[in-house]
Amino acid sequence: MSDASPSHGGPSFGRFWAAATLSSFGTAVTTVAMPVLVVTTLEASAFEVGVVNAAQFVPYAVLGLLAGVYADRWRRQRILVWSSLGRAVTLGAIPVLSALGALEVWALVVLLLLFGSFSVFAFAATQSLLPRLVPRERLVVANARLDQSDAAAQTLGPAIGGGLVGLLGAPAAIAVDAVSYLVDAVLNAGLRVEEPPTDASAARHLGREIGEGLRWTYRHPTLAPLAASTHVWFLANAAGFTALSLVALREMALSAFVFGLLVAVAGITGLVGASLAPALGRRIGAGPAIIGARAPYPLAWLLVALAPTVPPTAGVTLLTLALGVHGLAGGLENASDMGLWQLITPDGLLGRVNATRRSVNRSIAALGAVLGGTSVMFLGGSATLVGVAVVFGLAFAVAALSPLRAVRQVD
């Protein structure tokens, strides 16, 4: 193990954490700027909003399994650097096209498809490199620290994003995210990490390697139902946030700044949840922690469904409470979820297993985004959001009825 192995995480983990924090901050700004750009600036239809939200996820269906194979073949550090540079360029093109008066919905879709393609490789490498930066027994703590920084960025980023959108416009706010990926690339390029050499002369069979990742993911008695529950969760989450952007910005006529503050609420409670996650996992076990954290989602999204049906002040209050619960639950579960996968999965399979899971998650999210936008068109916002709550309940049930409930710790 490299100098990044000490129990406190080491200098390379510090750079890795800083890079993740900066890119999370930029992403949080874009979380507010992108819906405003699409819904308000480009005046997209509900269907087009769903297509734009789906665009960055579609590459996971096309490239996800392939990215996993190469995350196990290539140096993961290099994948991180090049994918961050690619994402910086594709996001940076949005404000440039806007300034030239050439930005349209379908141009945005193409750019987000490219952005998603780079992200496929980046996330496969990120989740697979972490066990090389910290000891395996500290993976839950390391994941919790990354979650804390991500939640902190989501807290500050949306508020600043809403302010930037109000002052400079959505394209300028997205430029902040592009710059964050440039800094991310520089920081990751400086990581000191030992990665096992690859044997270029070894016989490779792409289909067989993909199959190994699929079998580990979907035949493992504990990880398979966890994967299934997470897939359902992503369907509900993508549909929910697509519907939420339409309901909040159009039906409830909230300003970009208020919308940003609402998104920031989930960041604040997510930070609290991530801070409590390691202790919760130690006290009740990783499996029960994940299951328990998935229980509140249906209630949170029922509150979101009620928001547009009550007076404006009460509606904003309901959204604040709902997004607070959503963020807290996410913070509580994610570190245990990621730690469980990283602890159980052999290093040589991590790239494929992480990419397999993320590929399916994001493919389902693309479907959820389109379904969410289409459902709002035909059924209305509140009815769509009630359906979202039901699907979140299904995700909880799949996890609660699985062997995951008996998992306390992993040796």
Side-chain angles (χ1 to χ4, degrees), residues 18-30 80-81 83-85 87-89 91-92 115 153 172-188:
T21 300
L22 285 170
S23 61
S24 292
F25 173 84
T27 299
V29 171
T30 297
L80 283 180
V81 172
S83 61
S84 291
L85 291 173
R87 287 183 289 182
V89 170
L91 280 182
F115 175 85
I174 291 172
V176 172
D177 198 5
V179 173
S180 77
Y181 280 114
L182 288 176
V183 179
D184 179 284
V186 172
L187 288 171
N188 281 319

Side-chain angles (χ1 to χ4, degrees), residues 26 28-41 157-176 249 254-260:
V29 171
T30 297
T31 298
V32 176
M34 191 64 71
V36 174
L37 175 67
V38 177
V39 174
T40 304
T41 306
I160 292 179
L164 286 174
V165 170
L167 290 173
L168 304 175
I174 291 172
V176 172
L249 292 170
L254 301 182
S255 69
F257 181 66
V258 172
F259 184 66

Side-chain angles (χ1 to χ4, degrees), residues 349-394:
L349 278 170
L350 266 176
R352 280 165 284 174
V353 169
N354 285 330
T356 295
R357 196 171 77 260
R358 187 171 287 270
S359 173
V360 178
N361 286 342
R362 294 316 193 263
S363 299
I364 289 176
L367 174 63
V370 173
L371 288 176
T374 304
S375 180
V376 170
M377 285 180 62
F378 291 102
L379 301 178
S382 291
T384 298
L385 290 163
V386 169
V388 165
V390 171
V391 180
F392 270 118
L394 178 60

Side-chain angles (χ1 to χ4, degrees), residues 68 72 76 128 209 211-214 216-217 345-355:
D72 286 334
R76 293 161 183 168
S128 307
E209 291 177 81
E212 289 170 354
L214 287 168
W216 183 268
T217 303
T345 306
D347 183 80
L349 278 170
L350 266 176
R352 280 165 284 174
V353 169
N354 285 330

Side-chain angles (χ1 to χ4, degrees), residues 129-151:
L129 186 64
L130 184 59
R132 289 273 160 189
L133 298 173
V134 297
R136 292 177 73 85
E137 66 271 13
R138 290 190 59 82
L139 280 171
V140 171
V141 175
N143 277 296
R145 186 178 175 192
L146 290 171
D147 285 346
Q148 287 168 347
S149 63
D150 184 62

Side-chain angles (χ1 to χ4, degrees), residues 103-340:
L103 185 62
E104 297 180 355
V105 169
W106 298 108
L108 185 60
V109 168
V110 170
L111 289 172
L112 290 177
L113 285 171
L114 291 171
F115 175 85
S117 298
F118 288 112
S119 296
V120 172
F121 286 87
F123 284 116
T126 297
Q127 295 175 355
S128 307
L129 186 64
L130 184 59
R132 289 273 160 189
L133 298 173
V134 297
R136 292 177 73 85
E137 66 271 13
R138 290 190 59 82
L139 280 171
V140 171
V141 175
N143 277 296
R145 186 178 175 192
L146 290 171
D147 285 346
Q148 287 168 347
S149 63
D150 184 62
Q154 289 179 26
T155 300
L156 184 60
I160 292 179
L164 286 174
V165 170
L167 290 173
L168 304 175
I174 291 172
V176 172
D177 198 5
V179 173
S180 77
Y181 280 114
L182 288 176
V183 179
D184 179 284
V186 172
L187 288 171
N188 281 319
L191 292 177
R192 295 180 60 189
V193 55
E194 294 177 5
E195 297 190 66
T198 57
D199 185 359
S201 64
R204 299 284 194 177
H205 190 284
L206 186 63
R208 182 168 60 247
E209 291 177 81
I210 290 174
E212 289 170 354
L214 287 168
R215 284 191 294 274
W216 183 268
T217 303
Y218 294 112
R219 290 186 181 178
H220 193 281
T222 301
L223 298 180
L226 176 57
S229 172
T230 304
H231 297 338
V232 177
W233 186 96
F234 269 86
L235 177 69
N237 195 63
F241 275 96
T242 298
L244 173 62
S245 66
L246 288 163
V247 167
L249 292 170
R250 189 165 288 171
E251 189 172 340
M252 298 177 68
L254 301 182
S255 69
F257 181 66
V258 172
F259 184 66
L261 290 178
L262 286 171
V263 175
V265 169
I268 294 170
T269 56
L271 176 59
V272 174
S275 301
L276 297 174
L280 179 66
R282 287 192 298 268
R283 179 173 292 274
I284 68 173
I290 295 167
I291 293 169
R294 293 195 178 179
Y297 288 113
L299 174 60
W301 284 89
L302 284 175
L303 295 179
V304 176
L306 284 174
T309 68
V310 298
T313 301
V316 172
T317 301
L318 287 176
L319 289 179
T320 301
L321 179 59
L323 291 177
V325 172
H326 184 96
L328 179 65
L332 286 171
E333 74 166 297
N334 194 60
S336 292
D337 185 309
M338 287 306 309
L340 198 61

